[in-house]
Amino acid sequence: MRYYVTTPIYYVNGEPHLGHAYTTIAADILARFHRQKGDDVFFLTGTDEHGTKIAQAAEARGLTPREHVDEMAPKFKDLARRLDATNDFFIRTTDAEHEAFVQGFVEKLKAAGDIEKRTYGGLYCTACEGFWYERDLAPDGTCPDHGIKPTWLEEENYYFLLSRYQDRLAGFFRANPGWVRPQSRYNEALSFIEQGLEDISISRRSITWGVPVPWDPEQVIYVWVDALINYLSALEYARPGETLRDRWPGTHLLAKDILKFHAVIWPALLMSAGYEVPAGEFIHGYLLMGGEKMSKTRGNVLDPFAVMDTYGIDALRFYLFREVTFGQDGVISMEGFEQRYTNELANELGNLVSRTVSMIAKYRGGEIPRPAAPDAETLATVAAEGEAMVAGAAAHLDDVEITAALETVWDFVRRLNRLVEEEAPWKLAKDEAQAGRLDAVLHGLAAGLRVVALALHPVIPGSAAEILRRLGQPHADADLRLETAVWDALVPAAVEVAPPLFPRIERTG
């Protein structure tokens, strides 16, 4: 199976922040999971580098737009690296190959008879580089996403005849009720279509920082049209000398503020140009701090680099998807992060790993004992629960339910902790008659931690690999496949006692 997953391309008018990290981690979790299934995965992320906001940000810094984007884009690329993201390509919309593809794409729109030149006027929000209908503004007349008042913009541009696609889009939505998820976002997009679609401007005469309209170089292609096409253009040059166009259609992950562009305008553009629509779109909510969406415009952002420097990459990856149900808005805070880190990562998972390895070292000379005779009903039940956990978590990830997958795994982590308390290996070790029982318990704990590590690999890959290493289990890519996540696949091996997997962090100040 082929699986193509994308993040939005991130706008480089400011520094990367946790909102960017959130979508990138989500896409990476899905990419890693599908690789575990044996799928042929292509994972794309990148940067959006044209448009008014870029030109304004560059001017404010005394730089040319090119100087500005060349300085900012590597910071977003580095964010993906720091997040341990396994993206196969990082696209920049200033790539010459992308710009050429964009021009070819809009030529197809023109050839289809879906482009007209006329005067365009509308309420334009510079912060989101988009037009708003008055009916969709906040009660005070501001952009609901950025809290600033749009200004009236009017100039002679090229229109895309979006209204022609209203019935076709509505029909597609009704025939594919799961195409946009969650359901609330599907309903929102369909409602937008049913209210009536107006033709949209796809070019700008007032700015020069963009891809020139091929038949009228005095205008540039609207930044959102330019940006959306990256999902196709990357497939043409991500691997030199090879086309990946057979990977299309892909699955898009994005935040709800760009729903209209992706779920309404983008499929209409694809229909006009003769392409399939995306395989699906999953719309996540906002990370909220102080009751508001994190936003560079609002200034309430959390530095992901600082969090990773102190707590590690995996702790950040875990927290964001454990704390906030993926697809919904959710409040995040350093206090909440520290609580999850201490209670769940350090105490429940990290301590379970340390206790298991230490008891194997102490009571069995550091060698995982071979399974005892199957005379322990409790341990047989735990084994069945472990394999059911793997299947349940996988089913949730197939449905892009990352938070539910983590909850499924964590239920089993707590089950293993209860097993330690119920069986009390330190008591069994004092009774020679209980040697077989002790072997079964220690083997069961190691087998349980192994399947936990495999189930957690998409979310906390470094920590999952370290759990396997401490248990003496193979952890190359082939060893991470879901098909190996069965109880009996535990290899009797030497364990390694090591410092805490998630060390306690003392706050300063």
Side-chain angles (χ1 to χ4, degrees), residues 11 50-57 124 126 129 206-207 209 223:
Y11 213 47
H50 290 131
T52 305
K53 282 198 294 186
I54 299 297
Q56 291 174 343
Y124 186 77
T126 304
E129 295 264 16
S206 56
I207 64 171
W209 182 242
V223 62

Side-chain angles (χ1 to χ4, degrees), residues 7 18 20-36 43 78-87 253 287 302-326 332 337 340-341 344-345 349 397 402-407 410 453-465 480 502:
T7 72
L18 202 57
H20 304 117
Y22 186 52
T23 318
T24 300
I25 297 170
D28 185 62
I29 289 170
L30 297 178
R32 287 178 181 273
F33 167 69
H34 279 272
R35 292 191 193 102
Q36 278 191 300
F43 167 20
D78 186 55
L79 175 64
R81 180 190 62 80
R82 289 284 306 275
L83 295 170
D84 206 10
T86 54
N87 51 293
L253 298 188
L287 298 178
L302 187 65
D303 181 5
F305 295 101
V307 175
M308 290 187 288
D309 286 344
T310 302
Y311 293 91
I313 298 166
D314 281 354
L316 177 68
R317 291 172 63 107
F318 174 83
Y319 171 70
L320 293 178
F321 294 90
R322 185 80 171 110
E323 186 79 0
V324 178
T325 299
F326 194 54
I332 62 170
F337 175 90
R340 290 278 187 191
Y341 179 88
E344 297 186 343
L345 289 178
L349 178 59
L397 288 176
I402 300 173
T403 309
L406 277 173
E407 181 63 27
W410 228 256
L454 293 175
L456 285 175
H457 164 73
V459 182
I460 51 172
S463 301
L480 300 173
F502 299 100

Side-chain angles (χ1 to χ4, degrees), residues 416-465:
L416 292 177
N417 276 302
R418 290 198 305 274
L419 180 67
V420 174
E421 299 306 318
E422 292 164 359
E423 296 292 334
W426 51 91
K427 293 181 180 179
L428 296 175
K430 295 176 181 179
D431 184 353
E432 276 298 322
Q434 296 290 340
R437 181 73 176 185
L438 179 59
D439 283 346
V441 170
L442 295 178
H443 182 275
L445 289 171
L449 277 171
R450 178 180 172 275
V451 294
V452 163
L454 293 175
L456 285 175
H457 164 73
V459 182
I460 51 172
S463 301

Side-chain angles (χ1 to χ4, degrees), residues 191-214:
S191 174
F192 185 88
I193 294 167
E194 291 177 334
Q195 288 179 47
L197 297 179
E198 298 181 9
D199 300 335
I200 60 168
S201 169
I202 66 158
S203 72
R204 296 287 182 271
R205 181 182 293 276
S206 56
I207 64 171
T208 59
W209 182 242
V211 179
V213 173

Side-chain angles (χ1 to χ4, degrees), residues 259-290:
L259 172 65
K260 176 179 69 175
F261 296 104
H262 283 80
V264 179
I265 296 173
W266 178 223
L269 292 171
L270 289 165
M271 290 172 179
S272 174
Y275 292 92
E276 290 184 69
V277 301
E281 299 185 348
F282 193 93
I283 319 302
H284 66 74
Y286 292 150
L287 298 178
L288 306 174
M289 293 189 69

Side-chain angles (χ1 to χ4, degrees), residues 35-57:
R35 292 191 193 102
Q36 278 191 300
K37 291 175 62 180
D39 294 343
D40 183 4
V41 173
F42 189 75
F43 167 20
L44 177 68
T45 188
T47 44
D48 181 1
E49 302 182 15
H50 290 131
T52 305
K53 282 198 294 186
I54 299 297
Q56 291 174 343

Side-chain angles (χ1 to χ4, degrees), residues 116-150:
E116 285 185 5
K117 191 176 186 180
R118 58 173 89 149
T119 299
Y120 184 82
L123 292 168
Y124 186 77
C125 174
T126 304
C128 55
E129 295 264 16
F131 286 90
W132 286 89
Y133 298 131
E134 191 168 352
R135 67 176 185 244
D136 296 322
L137 296 176
D140 62 355
T142 61
C143 165
D145 289 330
H146 296 98
I148 59 177
K149 284 197 173 184

